[in-house]
Amino acid sequence: MAAQADEKGETIEVSEDTAHEISVDPWYQVGFILTTGVNSAYVLGYSGSIMVRLGWIVGTVGLILAAAISMYANALLARLHEVDGKRHIRYRDLAGHIYGRKIYALTWALQYINLFMINTGFIILAGQALKATYVLFRDDGLLKLPYCIAIAGFICALFAFGIPYLSALRIWLGFSTVFSLTYIVIAFVLSLKDGVTTPARDYSIPQMHSTRVFTTIGAVADLVFAYNTGMLPEIQATIRPPVVKNMEKALWFQFTVGSLPLYAVIFMGYWAYGSSTSDYLLNSVKGPVWIKAVANISAFLQTVIALHIFASPMYEFLDTRYGSGRGGPFAIHNIMFRVVVRGGYLTVNTLVAAILPFLGDFMSLTGALSTFPLTFVLANHMYLMVKRHKLTFLQKCWHWLNVVGFSVYAVVAAVAALRLIMVDSSTYHLFADL
């Protein structure tokens, strides 16, 4: 165990049983990591997956409320990073410390499912971006989506081999910001141009009576998916002390300045195309081929970087548990270990992405199965457990209301998402070229 001073100058124990770097990043670098997740290429799908399903009023209010409750839940979790004089650098370690081994295992399973599905979605997104780029120049149907997904998975694996841990991203976070702003600005400007020149749009919510309830529930799950990582303790582990104060700064950055590009592209995309907005906004915009190509390539490259962030807890587990622990991160045997282990993990991700390339459904299922339990249910209940002697009766009631309410909605949203996947699977064959 290592010791660090917290914001009060007291000694905090930190687990050193990790092969990755911890406690080295300034708060603004962590803020950019969080912002990279929020403004990933997923934002190009929210106009279609959220606004089209919910409409102007419910969609707008939902986005604002989801941001508020997500900020609140993440702040609760950040304050639990130091419990009983020990700093917990993994979500499962924190849960295990509070509840014991069974909940440790359950939390790890939920987090693994969460990150696996997010990474699968990223590979689908990267494949869509590659295919959209190809279609701009040759719409001959030769390069199908499953092939693009396979290429995307291979590129993501190459990047994973060269970046040993989360803190090593550094300059790549700058590139990620440039890529994000590139596709967001292009999507915004082209949508604005199309909206000005296009006749009146139809903003009515599509009337699909058999699936309307399920799509609405799924859209609400997408709202919380948009803001949350499901790996806040792992990200907080990289931040310099004082870890709680600095993490709160990073969260405020994420939910204020960092979220403005997300709002801009969501609202502009829906305003321009209404209920006909594509689930991948760059498929809806009209403009010069080269500009659209730049946007799609930027989306592809940003997705490669963003996937690495969300895969880092799995990489940390594999490196710590099975790595040699000898030599530097770029020693030949450590590079070969990453090639085999990370390559195998991403191969499975890529295969699932190619078999079931239904991006919107994956977002809904991820929100239901893991984002709700990890971010809202567990965060509130852990806060209750740790702070129970300091909370008033009304505060306890508030946290219990969150625990019960989000638990119920998680079950309902999971059923809705599975239903949508079943419907899409019956409509499209496996390895569909969407």
Side-chain angles (χ1 to χ4, degrees):
M1 305 295 289
Q4 293 181 350
D6 69 358
E7 43 263 69
K8 297 179 182 178
E10 298 174 346
T11 299
I12 295 292
E13 290 184 339
V14 184
S15 174
E16 285 188 330
D17 57 340
T18 177
H20 290 194
E21 285 189 347
I22 60 172
S23 308
V24 296
D25 296 339
W27 72 264
Y28 51 83
Q29 179 170 326
V30 174
F32 273 105
I33 288 176
L34 293 170
T35 301
T36 293
V38 169
N39 293 298
S40 69
Y42 273 115
V43 302
L44 297 173
Y46 295 148
S47 295
S49 65
I50 294 175
M51 298 303 292
V52 169
R53 295 178 180 180
L54 298 179
W56 273 120
I57 297 176
V58 178
T60 302
V61 173
L63 281 166
I64 295 171
L65 286 178
I69 62 174
S70 296
M71 173 65 194
Y72 174 74
N74 280 282
L76 288 182
L77 196 54
R79 293 166 192 161
L80 295 175
H81 197 70
E82 297 172 349
V83 177
D84 296 334
K86 181 180 178 181
R87 184 176 175 187
H88 301 275
I89 63 172
R90 305 177 187 91
Y91 206 140
R92 60 188 184 275
D93 292 345
L94 175 60
H97 178 78
I98 296 172
Y99 300 112
R101 292 295 301 177
K102 290 183 179 180
I103 303 301
Y104 170 95
L106 176 62
T107 303
W108 183 215
L110 285 173
Q111 192 178 36
Y112 175 81
I113 293 169
N114 177 66
L115 299 176
F116 182 86
M117 290 194 295
I118 289 176
N119 292 331
T120 299
F122 272 127
I123 294 174
I124 295 172
L125 265 175
Q128 287 182 333
L130 279 181
K131 183 184 176 183
T133 304
Y134 179 82
V135 169
L136 289 173
F137 298 98
R138 291 188 61 182
D139 193 8
D140 53 15
L142 291 179
L143 188 61
K144 300 184 183 300
L145 181 59
Y147 306 155
C148 293
I149 287 174
I151 295 170
F154 179 73
I155 300 299
C156 289
L158 290 180
F159 189 77
F161 302 158
I163 307 297
Y165 35 75
L166 190 58
S167 291
L169 279 172
R170 292 190 176 91
I171 193 172
W172 291 103
L173 294 173
F175 285 121
S176 174
T177 301
V178 172
F179 294 144
S180 294
L181 290 175
T182 298
Y183 61 71
I184 286 175
V185 168
I186 290 175
F188 182 91
V189 172
L190 293 183
S191 296
L192 175 62
K193 180 181 71 68
D194 289 345
V196 169
T197 58
T198 302
R201 273 79 65 194
D202 178 15
Y203 295 111
S204 61
I205 299 175
Q207 297 296 317
M208 299 171 290
H209 295 291
S210 60
T211 58
R212 173 72 181 274
V213 173
F214 296 108
T215 56
T216 301
I217 294 171
V220 175
D222 290 350
L223 286 171
V224 297
F225 173 85
Y227 296 104
N228 296 286
T229 62
M231 51 176 282
L232 192 80
E234 287 81 0
I235 295 175
Q236 193 171 358
T238 69
I239 207 166
R240 296 172 185 166
V243 292
V244 175
K245 183 177 179 180
N246 282 339
M247 194 65 200
E248 288 179 342
K249 289 181 182 179
L251 286 170
W252 277 112
F253 180 82
Q254 173 195 354
F255 285 98
T256 53
V257 177
S259 296
L260 293 179
L262 173 141
Y263 295 131
V265 75
I266 290 176
F267 293 138
M268 184 55 69
Y270 186 57
W271 173 79
Y273 308 107
S275 58
S276 64
T277 307
S278 169
D279 281 341
Y280 181 65
L281 185 57
L282 292 178
N283 286 338
S284 294
V285 301
K286 300 177 180 64
V289 169
W290 71 270
I291 291 181
K292 293 173 67 175
V294 168
N296 281 300
I297 292 170
S298 297
F300 170 77
L301 294 173
Q302 198 276 346
T303 297
V304 173
I305 299 171
L307 182 147
H308 192 79
I309 294 173
F310 287 91
S312 61
M314 178 54 64
Y315 296 161
E316 189 273 337
F317 168 75
L318 294 171
D319 294 347
T320 302
R321 184 73 175 269
Y322 302 107
S324 68
R326 296 180 289 102
F330 294 104
I332 294 297
H333 63 277
N334 286 329
I335 294 175
M336 293 307 300
F337 175 82
R338 291 198 294 272
V339 169
V340 173
V341 175
R342 297 185 183 186
Y345 173 72
L346 289 173
T347 297
V348 177
N349 268 133
T350 303
L351 182 61
V352 173
I355 293 174
L356 297 169
F358 313 124
L359 184 61
D361 298 344
F362 264 102
M363 289 192 292
S364 300
L365 188 60
T366 303
L369 287 181
S370 47
T371 306
F372 276 116
L374 288 174
T375 305
F376 300 109
V377 178
L378 264 181
N380 276 278
H381 195 267
M382 287 193 296
Y383 197 80
L384 266 170
M385 295 289 289
V386 173
K387 307 287 187 180
R388 60 184 178 275
H389 299 303
K390 299 179 181 179
L391 298 176
T392 66
F393 175 74
L394 288 178
Q395 288 174 323
K396 290 179 181 179
C397 289
W398 164 249
H399 288 294
W400 273 115
L401 180 64
N402 279 275
V403 170
V404 174
F406 285 116
S407 295
V408 171
Y409 198 87
V411 174
V412 174
V415 172
L418 289 171
R419 162 71 176 171
L420 291 173
I421 290 177
M422 290 172 60
V423 170
D424 284 338
S425 297
S426 63
T427 304
Y428 304 100
H429 57 78
L430 299 182
F431 298 99
D433 182 30
L434 303 178

